[in-house]
Amino acid sequence: VGGILTNFLLLFAIRRFSRQSVGTYKYLLAIFASFDIFLTIIHRLTNPVKVIKNAIVSLKLQTVVTIRIKEITGAYCAFFTVPFALMNIHFLYRFWAIRHPEKIILFSNKKFIALISMAPISVFVSWHLICTRIMSGAHDEIGTIRLYEEYFRRYGKKIRDGWILVNFSEEDGMRTLGFISMLTLDVIMIGSFSIAITLAILTYHYITLADTKISSATINLQFKLLIAVCAQTFVPLVFVYLPYMGVNNLAVLRVPAYPVDRVCMQLTACFPLWDALIIIVLIRDYREGVISLVRKKKVIDTKTTVWKT
């Protein structure tokens, strides 16, 4: 509920209080807020649980209607990789706004929009294929049987379908596939974060070297927007990426991860709410606009004197 309300509030603030100088960047913010609402809804509808047992890492969706298709569970995981790809588009916009402002018009070009849309789509497809093709296992494998037992011990329910599993166990020869899946996911996450860091550093560098022809107000606005994007990047990193990397790598090292797997899902549920709050708080126009909605305007009674000559 909090995630949905705060992101709808952000969408309202973007529409009502965005100044003209923000330009098409407001549409990027609106896309991000809309996708956060979508993530919040699917998280509530699917109610996912992560189960870790020794060297076995798995994910199961606990919906009212039993999901027996592994592709749906893989899609859930893949959807949560899209925000970081969108974030890199945000950083690209911020970098061009200060370094190549003449290129900002491309964000209004349909062909360019279709081109940059391939970044989140490619990440989604890659993650989904890893989850459904590599993170698999037959029903009679040792790792799968252990998953059944651990899930039943925790939740008192039997599962047979609809889960994804990465197995680092040496006993049934799945350790190699487990390493391949873990390394691939780590490369995707670290690669996305590296791109974000590089663009953020370059943007900050060119803001400090801004031409004297650029007004101080514009430079100040660009700096504040960069801070907001960096803070917004920090949220999915802490609430989604690092917990996922943690549970996967702990399983490789055979370090007991319980109850990290439960905390991981709780953190994932929280991040859309904090994502919207950070933007509202850090961008002054939105912050003051939201405050003005709940604060009564002071009525000042002034006396005027008319002078006649």
Side-chain angles (χ1 to χ4, degrees), residues 162-264:
W163 43 265
I164 58 173
L165 176 146
V166 54
N167 189 354
F168 299 105
S169 176
E170 296 176 347
E171 299 174 4
D172 48 3
M174 299 299 293
R175 191 171 180 83
T176 301
L177 285 178
F179 269 116
I180 291 173
S181 61
M182 181 203 69
L183 290 175
T184 306
L185 296 180
D186 286 351
V187 167
I188 292 175
M189 289 186 283
I190 294 173
S192 296
F193 188 57
S194 299
I195 293 173
I197 291 177
T198 301
L199 289 173
I201 292 174
L202 289 174
T203 304
Y204 177 78
H205 173 71
Y206 285 108
I207 287 177
T208 58
L209 298 178
D211 194 282
T212 53
K213 295 180 181 179
I214 301 177
S215 66
S216 59
T218 301
I219 294 175
N220 188 44
L221 175 63
Q222 293 293 338
F223 184 69
K224 288 182 178 179
L225 290 174
L226 177 62
I227 292 176
V229 176
C230 289
Q232 196 178 15
T233 305
F234 185 75
V235 175
L237 176 68
V238 172
F239 285 81
V240 181
Y241 277 68
L242 290 181
Y244 269 77
M245 290 181 68
V247 294
N248 286 339
N249 290 281
L250 286 174
V252 174
L253 301 173
R254 295 180 177 274
V255 177
Y258 186 80
V260 175
D261 47 1
R262 289 189 175 182
V263 175
C264 180

Side-chain angles (χ1 to χ4, degrees), residues 7-22:
N7 279 282
F8 269 119
L9 181 62
L10 175 58
L11 286 174
F12 175 79
I14 291 170
R15 181 177 177 82
R16 178 80 177 272
F17 305 115
S18 293
R19 66 173 71 179
Q20 189 174 1
S21 58
V22 173

Side-chain angles (χ1 to χ4, degrees), residues 274-308:
W274 288 106
D275 220 18
L277 285 179
I278 282 178
I279 293 298
I280 292 173
V281 170
L282 291 183
I283 297 184
R284 182 179 178 181
D285 291 345
Y286 301 158
R287 181 179 69 249
E288 293 182 349
V290 170
I291 292 174
S292 68
L293 296 176
V294 296
R295 185 179 60 189
K296 294 182 179 180
K297 295 182 178 180
K298 295 181 179 179
V299 179
I300 302 175
D301 185 16
T302 58
K303 295 181 179 179
T304 56
T305 303
V306 179
W307 292 85
K308 294 182 180 181

Side-chain angles (χ1 to χ4, degrees), residues 51-167:
V51 178
I52 301 176
K53 177 66 175 179
N54 297 330
I56 312 299
V57 181
S58 65
L59 182 77
K60 178 72 173 70
L61 305 184
Q62 298 187 125
T63 55
V64 177
V65 179
T66 304
I67 292 180
R68 300 185 179 276
I69 304 175
K70 187 178 297 185
E71 281 70 17
I72 296 178
T73 310
Y76 168 85
C77 295
F79 277 131
F80 279 85
T81 66
V82 173
F84 228 114
L86 292 175
M87 200 67 68
N88 286 331
I89 296 175
H90 281 217
F91 275 111
L92 178 64
Y93 188 102
R94 295 267 54 83
F95 174 67
W96 279 2
I98 193 67
R99 179 58 176 168
H100 302 289
E102 71 280 0
K103 293 183 179 181
I104 292 297
I105 195 174
L106 289 175
F107 281 89
S108 301
N109 185 287
K110 293 182 179 179
K111 292 182 179 180
F112 181 76
I113 293 174
L115 178 63
I116 60 175
S117 297
M118 294 306 298
I121 292 174
S122 299
V123 173
F124 173 86
V125 172
S126 301
W127 202 284
H128 187 268
L129 289 175
I130 293 169
C131 290
T132 56
R133 298 294 180 265
I134 301 178
M135 293 183 179
S136 59
H139 291 281
D140 57 350
E141 289 178 0
I142 297 175
T144 307
I145 294 172
R146 288 179 178 173
L147 166 64
Y148 295 160
E149 294 173 350
E150 182 65 16
Y151 187 86
F152 182 78
R153 185 186 69 82
R154 294 191 190 186
Y155 303 104
K157 300 177 182 178
K158 294 182 179 180
I159 57 171
R160 288 293 181 269
D161 297 290
W163 43 265
I164 58 173
L165 176 146
V166 54
N167 189 354

